[in-house]
Amino acid sequence: MSQTKSRRSRSLRQLVYSQFLRSSLIPIFVIEVALLLLYFGITHYIAERNIRIALDSAKLNIAELAIAEVHVIDEHLTAIERVGSVLQAHHQYLFTHFDHVMVANEPDFETAENGAWVKKGGEGASLYYSAETIIGSEQLEKAVKTEEMDPLLQQVVDQHDSIVAAYFNSWDNMNRLYPYIDNVADQYGPHINMEDYNFYYLADAKHNPDRKPVWTNAYLDPAGQGWMISNIFPIYRGDFLEGVSGLDITLPQVTQTLESLSLPWQSGAMILDDTGTVLSMTPEIEVLLGIQELTTHEYNEVITETIVKPWQFNLYQNDSDSSQLLKQALQKAKVSGPQEFELNGEGYILVVNGIETTNWLLVMVTPKAVVFEEIYHQRRISSQIGYAAIAFMVLFYLMFFVYLMLRSRQLANKIVEPIAKLSQMVHDAVHSSEKPGKQPVNLDVAELDYLADIHRQLSEANHIYQSMVKEVTRKNAQLERISETDSLTQLNNRLKLDRSLAQEVKRAERYGEKFSVIMLDLDHFKRVNDNFGHQVGDSVLIELAELIKAQVRESDIVGRWGGEEFMVICPNTAKEQGALLAEKLHRRVEANHFSTVGKQTASFGVSGYRAGDNVESLVERADVALYRAKANGRNRIEIEHL
């Protein structure tokens, strides 16, 4: 009886409420969970399908791009071969008509201390004869008459940025090379046997019976230019091989060509020769292989034979895991097209195409993570939306349950809405650069209205402060630019040059990089001021400044050191390359017709960073070289002494 009363004591409202909860909340909750599971399943399926589609599309796009890039490289190499064909035709014509060759001004020759026989003077191409070659009438005649090669050798090098040197090597160990090597006897040593070097024997009758242009593999240049490849071609007189002529391209130039290719998705690229040796590679491939490209070489001893890249650069000989994986993918790609492989837990796509001109291979490696980055991003967003939906569902049911229990939604809305308005106002103020309004905001809650007014005042004060900071920053930047700029030429002034030199010295000390300094001074500039006045002299300096800026690279730093003296700082540039830039500037100044005073000349001094250098020692050597150029007759270039 008591149990019956207990059961009947429940009110109808309680019964309806309990049944409503069971019949309304639970089914809705089950449906929502099912929809979320369906959402995540569909999202995962779509993402995986998109990844497969993107992978197939990426393989196709990379393969098509590789074909296009191979065509670019092939055209570049073919263009160099065409230049070489012109040189070959000229040299063979010279030897075919050797008896009729006449040279107007015979050069002077001398025997160096080590017994080598060399040309004196420093103009045109340098000439070297091995000390073991007996210099008879035939050798003397050849040394004189091959002077006819110099104009074309010079034209080829000066007009083609890719070509750093052009030369002819004879069967009896004579070398004629442009640009001129001042210390050619020391560079080559007393004896050099041409047939021991790949840039000679690869073009002989045994290796090249068709007498066509041939590309060498990478080797260390005996002439001091570092690692390079050469396009070589035999020079015959009838069926007799008089020698081999060639064009040199340094490996850093090949790397620059690779880095200039339009590679998507952070792809890396490398060129392999027919032995599997890496001729050149981008930084991405360096990281994969764990080796660093050879860009420079210290010539501590004479190069007496062909020196090729170390075995670590041969993909077929290097037994490291990365090289073996790349080799396997490469071999499969040759047969079946683009391949996928994994290295250090990361997936990659490998595409290979042959370079027809040289039988080399262009290999492109693309990280899959970059290809799928957008898909992964969309999948993360989809997951975040799903998690947000779960959070919202939990929150909604909690709020709904509280609403049914306490009937408090109306009060909650009255509290939440003004807080949301205040939050939006704070958000807009933080993310907007506009000046805040001055009108008070009415949130219908006294405490929130008070906070909103305080926030408005703080935002207005902050806006004024930020405006002041921006103006001070702008003026400071303007003053800094003015302090570092020469008022006459608008070049960098002495202060800026000193700072830049200090930075380059620190970079060279830390990373072992080279850089060079060029100092130049107009010859007899005092006469310009004396004869035409200082105003005309200033216009000459302005015109010279514009001329210098037009000739240097974007990375070079140009400034006025003082008076009519200028400086060019050349980052990542050895002094030999700095001397080439100085020569370029020298020719340009000499050829220029200044609008007010006509022809002018300039003298140049060049120095290169050495270990242990500071700014003063580096500049002092360039300055000494400049004064030596002045002392030796002006209108010339002098390089620091070792």
Side-chain angles (χ1 to χ4, degrees):
M1 187 70 179
S2 61
Q3 290 179 355
T4 303
K5 285 185 177 180
S6 177
R7 242 186 255 111
R8 289 179 180 176
S9 66
R10 295 173 63 190
S11 67
L12 180 62
R13 188 173 70 84
Q14 290 175 333
L15 179 61
V16 172
Y17 178 70
S18 61
Q19 292 297 324
F20 178 79
L21 288 178
R22 285 196 293 268
S23 61
S24 298
L25 293 181
I26 294 176
I28 293 175
F29 179 78
V30 171
I31 292 173
E32 292 292 341
V33 170
L35 289 175
L36 285 172
L37 292 175
L38 182 63
Y39 170 81
F40 280 110
I42 293 175
T43 300
H44 177 75
Y45 171 77
I46 293 175
E48 291 300 320
R49 183 171 178 80
N50 286 341
I51 287 175
R52 176 50 54 186
I53 294 173
L55 179 60
D56 293 339
S57 177
K59 286 182 179 179
L60 180 61
N61 291 338
I62 295 170
E64 292 177 349
L65 177 63
I67 293 173
E69 301 302 356
V70 161
H71 181 66
V72 172
I73 296 173
D74 207 39
E75 283 188 342
H76 184 67
L77 296 175
T78 302
I80 294 175
E81 282 193 352
R82 286 196 292 267
V83 174
S85 297
V86 173
L87 204 63
Q88 181 184 28
H90 178 264
H91 290 181
Q92 291 201 154
Y93 180 85
L94 185 146
F95 278 104
T96 303
H97 302 83
F98 206 64
D99 294 338
H100 303 290
V101 174
M102 300 294 292
V103 177
N105 298 313
E106 293 189 8
D108 294 329
F109 302 98
E110 64 179 357
T111 301
E113 292 182 0
N114 60 9
W117 198 67
V118 298
K119 184 176 82 171
K120 298 167 56 178
E123 295 185 358
S126 60
L127 183 132
Y128 166 95
Y129 246 122
S130 168
E132 295 187 8
T133 300
I134 299 175
I135 306 301
S137 59
E138 178 183 352
Q139 284 69 35
L140 178 60
E141 181 184 24
K142 185 186 300 184
V144 172
K145 290 188 176 182
T146 53
E147 284 285 308
E148 289 297 306
M149 296 180 177
D150 287 11
L152 186 56
L153 293 176
Q154 180 175 353
Q155 182 181 359
V156 165
V157 175
D158 293 348
Q159 294 185 1
H160 298 83
D161 294 337
S162 299
I163 301 172
V164 298
Y167 54 84
F168 168 74
N169 295 317
S170 72
W171 64 271
D172 55 354
N173 301 325
M174 182 192 83
N175 168 260
R176 177 175 289 277
L177 180 141
Y178 181 87
Y180 186 91
I181 302 177
D182 289 324
N183 58 340
V184 64
D186 295 333
Q187 184 67 45
Y188 289 151
H191 173 63
I192 184 169
N193 185 22
M194 294 300 175
E195 294 182 353
D196 291 341
Y197 296 88
N198 63 344
F199 54 76
Y200 190 94
Y201 64 71
L202 288 177
D204 63 19
K206 176 182 177 182
H207 296 85
N208 184 24
D210 295 332
R211 304 183 182 181
K212 294 181 178 180
V214 178
W215 286 92
T216 70
N217 297 332
Y219 67 93
L220 192 58
D221 180 27
Q225 293 282 3
W227 292 96
M228 65 173 50
I229 57 175
S230 296
N231 179 228
I232 58 175
F233 27 88
I235 307 300
Y236 282 90
R237 187 194 305 200
D239 289 327
F240 179 71
L241 181 63
E242 286 286 350
V244 175
S245 295
L247 305 172
D248 286 344
I249 303 172
T250 63
L251 289 191
Q253 290 175 309
V254 180
T255 302
Q256 288 177 4
T257 301
L258 276 182
E259 293 177 347
S260 67
L261 299 179
S262 303
L263 303 181
W265 299 309
Q266 300 178 19
S267 300
M270 61 180 169
I271 296 177
L272 299 180
D273 66 20
D274 52 7
T275 69
T277 299
V278 179
L279 286 180
S280 183
M281 56 185 164
T282 60
E284 294 82 4
I285 302 298
E286 291 181 345
V287 174
L288 283 180
L289 292 178
I291 55 177
Q292 190 171 7
E293 182 60 280
L294 301 175
T295 56
T296 59
H297 179 77
E298 295 292 337
Y299 283 83
N300 298 320
E301 57 185 23
V302 174
I303 305 301
T304 59
E305 60 183 1
T306 297
I307 298 179
V308 298
K309 279 190 168 184
W311 62 269
Q312 292 91 338
F313 287 84
N314 190 299
L315 208 61
Y316 303 149
Q317 297 178 4
N318 192 331
D319 57 0
S320 67
D321 292 341
S322 57
S323 295
Q324 291 300 310
L325 286 171
L326 276 171
K327 181 179 72 174
Q328 294 171 9
L330 175 63
Q331 291 171 340
K332 293 179 181 178
K334 288 180 181 179
V335 178
S336 307
Q339 295 294 313
E340 300 175 46
F341 70 98
E342 285 195 4
L343 180 60
N344 298 327
E346 299 290 336
Y348 296 91
I349 303 170
L350 182 143
V351 175
V352 60
N353 277 93
I355 301 173
E356 183 178 355
T357 302
T358 58
N359 291 325
W360 297 338
L361 297 177
L362 173 65
V363 181
M364 291 176 53
V365 180
T366 303
K368 292 165 64 174
V370 180
V371 176
F372 304 144
E373 183 176 4
E374 182 60 28
I375 296 176
Y376 290 153
H377 177 67
Q378 293 299 326
R379 185 159 67 177
R380 287 193 297 270
I381 292 176
S382 298
S383 299
Q384 290 170 359
I385 292 173
Y387 298 143
I390 293 174
F392 175 77
M393 183 184 69
V394 173
L395 179 63
F396 171 77
Y397 278 102
L398 287 174
M399 291 181 64
F400 190 53
F401 183 76
V402 171
Y403 167 76
L404 293 175
M405 290 289 293
L406 304 174
R407 300 280 184 162
S408 60
R409 172 171 287 187
Q410 183 177 3
L411 178 61
N413 286 338
K414 286 184 178 180
I415 295 175
V416 169
E417 287 178 0
I419 292 176
K421 289 181 181 179
L422 180 59
S423 298
Q424 185 62 45
M425 186 175 67
V426 172
H427 178 274
D428 294 342
V430 170
H431 293 85
S432 175
S433 60
E434 297 181 0
K435 185 176 181 181
K438 295 185 177 181
Q439 295 298 324
V441 178
N442 185 10
L443 299 176
D444 292 332
V445 179
E447 290 81 3
L448 295 180
D449 286 340
Y450 176 75
L451 289 175
D453 186 58
I454 293 297
H455 168 71
R456 180 182 56 78
Q457 296 177 32
L458 290 174
S459 298
E460 185 176 359
N462 182 63
H463 180 79
I464 295 172
Y465 171 75
Q466 293 296 333
S467 299
M468 294 174 63
V469 169
K470 289 180 180 179
E471 180 62 20
V472 170
T473 302
R474 185 186 66 80
K475 289 185 177 180
N476 286 342
Q478 185 178 15
L479 289 173
E480 185 174 358
R481 286 195 301 271
I482 294 173
S483 70
E484 294 182 343
T485 303
D486 179 59
S487 59
L488 176 63
T489 63
Q490 297 305 305
L491 296 177
N492 296 310
N493 61 14
R494 177 71 171 267
L495 175 62
K496 176 63 176 178
L497 290 173
D498 282 335
R499 291 176 178 174
S500 299
L501 285 168
Q503 291 175 353
E504 292 301 325
V505 168
K506 288 182 179 179
R507 185 179 293 110
E509 289 174 347
R510 177 173 296 179
Y511 303 109
E513 297 179 353
K514 293 183 177 293
F515 75 98
S516 57
V517 173
I518 303 171
M519 297 192 72
L520 61 144
D521 192 344
L522 280 175
D523 297 328
H524 304 298
F525 185 70
K526 185 175 183 300
R527 297 178 185 175
V528 174
N529 285 330
D530 292 344
N531 295 334
F532 298 95
H534 287 278
Q535 188 172 2
V536 171
D538 289 347
S539 70
V540 171
L541 294 178
I542 293 171
E543 190 171 348
L544 177 61
E546 293 298 324
L547 184 150
I548 296 172
K549 285 195 297 184
Q551 301 302 313
V552 300
R553 305 169 302 179
E554 290 186 5
S555 59
D556 295 334
I557 303 166
V558 183
R560 186 182 179 193
W561 187 251
E564 67 272 22
E565 194 169 13
F566 293 80
M567 176 181 287
V568 182
I569 304 171
C570 306
N572 296 318
T573 304
K575 67 179 179 181
E576 291 80 8
Q577 283 71 45
L580 293 178
L581 175 57
E583 178 61 30
K584 179 180 178 183
L585 291 171
H586 171 243
R587 293 196 305 271
R588 186 67 185 86
V589 171
E590 188 176 31
N592 187 61
H593 184 87
F594 288 84
S595 57
T596 53
V597 298
K599 294 288 186 178
Q600 295 292 315
T601 62
S603 299
F604 296 76
V606 182
S607 66
Y609 174 79
R610 302 176 186 173
D613 257 339
N614 55 32
V615 172
E616 290 75 17
S617 61
L618 181 63
V619 173
E620 181 181 3
R621 292 200 304 277
D623 203 33
V624 169
L626 173 60
Y627 277 98
R628 191 166 62 251
K630 292 285 188 180
N632 290 339
R634 294 183 170 86
N635 190 23
R636 61 186 288 117
I637 299 167
E638 291 288 345
I639 306 176
E640 63 172 352
H641 290 318
L642 295 177

